[in-house]
Amino acid sequence: RGRWNMRLKPQQIPQELALGLAWRMPRITLGAEFTWIDWSSTFDRFEARLEDGTSAELNELTGDGNTTVHVSVPLRWRDQIVIAFGASVAVTDALVLRAGYNYGRNPVPSRFAEPTLPAIFEHHVTAGCSLSVRRLEISAAIEYALPVSFTIDRNDANLEVSGSRIDASLLWVSLGVGLRF
């Protein structure tokens, strides 16, 4: 048993470059977007520093009197292109329905995948609606990342997870209330 203070190196949000197009028709809007995400510059490595430890086992591994341990885990994420399509239909002046789909190739190389960070989703479907009543707008949306399986044959960053498999899916629901001024 022991305690350490851990300081994480701040992780930057990746740069993105997007190009979108929309076609407006009476009551229907169609849209498409192409986005490049610069994961390779921001998720190349995870770094942390452990200080003032009281763990006898870890102190023994790091050497007597060494109270600071630097941790550096390679991530090596690849840049990603995301292609998205969506549509909205104004059923009435008060009710709008929306649906969409996007695809982005998994940016995480198998050699550096971590089960605790399953950022391996590729296909997403979305749906939503908005209802306007005078100045009040109520919105609901759902996003579903289709189930994906990912096998880690050999992990160069964490050998203990080599030979494992990640199964993941995501369901995200949001509700919103807005007031127009």
Side-chain angles (χ1 to χ4, degrees):
R1 225 170 218 247
R3 296 175 64 114
W4 284 77
N5 292 326
M6 179 186 274
R7 303 272 185 240
L8 300 177
K9 180 180 176 186
Q11 202 73 24
Q12 299 295 315
I13 294 174
Q15 295 183 82
E16 294 185 19
L17 180 62
L19 173 65
L21 303 169
W23 297 271
R24 295 191 126 200
M25 297 166 265
R27 301 196 116 20
I28 297 174
T29 301
L30 301 174
E33 184 175 274
F34 304 90
T35 305
W36 166 77
I37 305 174
D38 183 24
W39 292 116
S40 63
S41 295
T42 55
F43 279 65
D44 184 56
R45 123 176 353 271
F46 168 82
E47 296 186 37
R49 186 176 69 225
L50 301 172
E51 298 177 316
D52 304 320
T54 63
S55 166
E57 292 84 4
L58 194 51
N59 286 341
E60 186 176 320
L61 288 172
T62 60
D64 292 334
N66 186 358
T67 59
T68 301
V69 176
H70 294 277
V71 177
S72 182
V73 178
L75 299 173
R76 307 278 195 274
W77 285 26
R78 299 177 294 248
D79 291 348
Q80 185 181 46
I81 300 286
V82 178
I83 301 168
F85 301 97
S88 68
V89 177
V91 178
T92 67
D93 289 341
L95 178 64
V96 177
L97 302 177
R98 297 177 186 86
Y101 167 81
N102 79 49
Y103 170 79
R105 183 180 65 118
N106 169 9
V108 183
S110 173
R111 292 180 22 229
F112 302 102
E114 289 292 329
T116 56
L117 187 60
I120 58 175
F121 300 111
E122 294 186 339
H123 301 273
H124 297 79
V125 291
T126 60
C129 63
S130 295
L131 179 64
S132 297
V133 180
R134 296 187 185 153
R135 293 179 34 207
L136 182 69
E137 182 174 284
I138 301 167
S139 297
I142 187 167
E143 175 184 352
Y144 182 55
L146 278 63
V148 64
S149 293
F150 189 76
T151 301
I152 303 172
D153 296 323
R154 175 180 164 80
N155 189 305
D156 293 343
N158 183 357
L159 290 175
E160 293 178 4
V161 300
S162 294
S164 64
R165 184 174 127 173
I166 301 171
D167 294 305
S169 65
L170 173 80
L171 180 64
W172 182 280
V173 177
S174 63
L175 299 171
V177 177
L179 187 60
R180 295 183 192 157
F181 292 98

